Structures are given as structure tokens and as C-alpha cells.
Amino acid sequence: MPEREIRIYDDPILRMKARRVEDFGEHWLPLIEDMYITCVIDEGIGLAAPQIGESIQLLVVYIRRGEGEEPFKLAVFNPEILSAEGECTIEEGCLSIPGIREEVIRPEKIKLTYQDYQGETYQAEVDGLLARILQHEIDHLYGVLFIDYLPSVKKVLLKKALKKIAAGEPVE
Ligand SMILES: [Zn+2]
């Protein structure tokens, strides 16, 4: 069960639309486990498959809870946002864009449909942190990064830092 290497900005796979999963089954479990482990080691709260080089519609959520409590884990295939409501500003970061955290405005509440590894379909209404993580990770499946939402003035300011990240240099 190895940790997977994270694809870093501006790897082209992060800008591709990931393909839908049609072949469900237990053969996905090792990849899902690798994604959870990658979240643990890299201290992420969510990860999309393209971030580890797999261009498929799969993401995981991994939220740590209190000591002695199991983390909240969720593996989501083929998610689709059906509706969105409200608006809130939350600071976001991304394992693929290390060292950068910025406030992003997104809907507060979403209704979505998705499938599990067995192809079972679910519908859920979520808000708060979970809604935020899901929106960020679903974006990854369409080649969208959180920095795309920043005002252009901010983007200009980040240009240098993004260049460093793309070159594999640390950003403070
Ligand atoms: Zn991300």
C-alpha cells in the first residue's frame, strides 16, 4: 500500500478532463487505499485521482477527527453537482500547489450525485467543510484548480510563486 507521488502544478494531467469510470468493482480498492494513505502522509483532507496521475473520475475525502476517533473517509466516483446554494469564503490549499493558500468564494451548500466503487448511485446534500472539499476535488476532475477562481490582481501576484512550484522549488 504505497503512498503515491503527487503531480505538481503545471503538470498537464491537472488540466485534463478525467474519464468517467464504468468498470466498477473491488479492483478499485487498492487505489482508493493508496489515496487515503497519500492524504495521511501529505496531510491532505481530499485528493482527486488526476493528482496522482490517474485521469479518472475518482476522488477521496479524508477528514481527521478527535483523538481516538476514526477519520471520516469517503471515496466518490463520477460525481455530479446537481444544485448549489449560498456563498461562503474559505481559505483553500492544494497538495498539487504546495505553499499557496488563498481565500476562495464558492457555494455553501451543494446537492450531488455520485457512485461508490461498486457502482451504487447515491444522492447527498452537504454543506460546510465537506461541501468545500467536494467542490475543490470535483474541479480537479475537470482540470480546474482553485487558483483559477482568484481575482486577476491576485493571479499576477502569484505568478512568480507558481513558476517556482512548477520548477520544483519551495515557496515560502
Ligand atoms: Zn487540490
Side-chain angles (χ1 to χ4, degrees):
M1 295 190 292
E3 174 200 8
R4 297 292 196 100
E5 193 189 323
I6 302 274
R7 298 296 183 95
I8 299 296
Y9 178 90
D10 56 356
D11 189 313
I13 200 167
L14 296 175
R15 291 305 194 180
M16 282 166 58
K17 185 177 183 292
R19 72 169 168 82
R20 280 180 69 85
V21 172
E22 310 286 353
D23 58 324
F24 294 99
E26 291 192 351
H27 57 279
W28 290 112
L29 293 177
L31 175 61
I32 292 169
E33 199 50 38
D34 284 355
M35 289 173 74
Y36 287 143
I37 288 167
T38 306
C39 281
V40 172
I41 294 173
D42 293 326
E43 294 179 358
I45 51 177
L47 186 67
Q51 291 181 276
I52 54 163
E54 306 279 352
S55 193
I56 52 168
Q57 299 248 335
L58 163 63
L59 65 89
V60 303
V61 174
Y62 189 98
I63 305 174
R64 288 155 195 79
R65 294 200 271 205
E67 215 172 298
E69 271 184 277
E70 281 290 301
F72 171 82
K73 298 198 277 186
L74 184 67
V76 169
F77 287 83
N78 302 332
E80 267 172 60
I81 294 176
L82 303 172
S83 63
E85 231 180 90
E87 196 181 277
C88 63
T89 305
I90 299 181
E91 195 183 72
E92 293 187 25
C94 180
L95 291 177
S96 294
I97 314 175
I100 291 183
R101 296 192 66 83
E102 292 291 343
E103 288 190 335
V104 180
I105 304 167
R106 294 186 193 264
E108 193 168 18
K109 207 174 180 182
I110 56 166
K111 194 190 263 184
L112 79 157
T113 174
Y114 67 93
Q115 287 168 290
D116 66 9
Y117 73 95
Q118 289 174 308
E120 190 91 35
T121 301
Y122 299 84
Q123 215 181 86
E125 224 178 303
V126 295
D127 59 10
L129 181 62
L130 182 55
R132 180 54 66 127
I133 297 170
L134 285 167
Q135 290 177 84
H136 177 117
E137 303 308 336
I138 290 170
D139 271 352
H140 273 301
L141 306 181
Y142 293 89
V144 176
L145 300 172
F146 82 95
I147 50 173
D148 300 344
Y149 294 104
L150 301 177
S152 41
V153 181
K154 251 280 128 72
K155 279 186 194 153
V156 172
L157 290 173
L158 282 178
K159 232 178 176 167
K160 233 187 202 163
L162 288 171
K163 236 182 178 169
K164 275 191 172 179
I165 290 168
E169 293 166 24
V171 173
E172 52 250 45

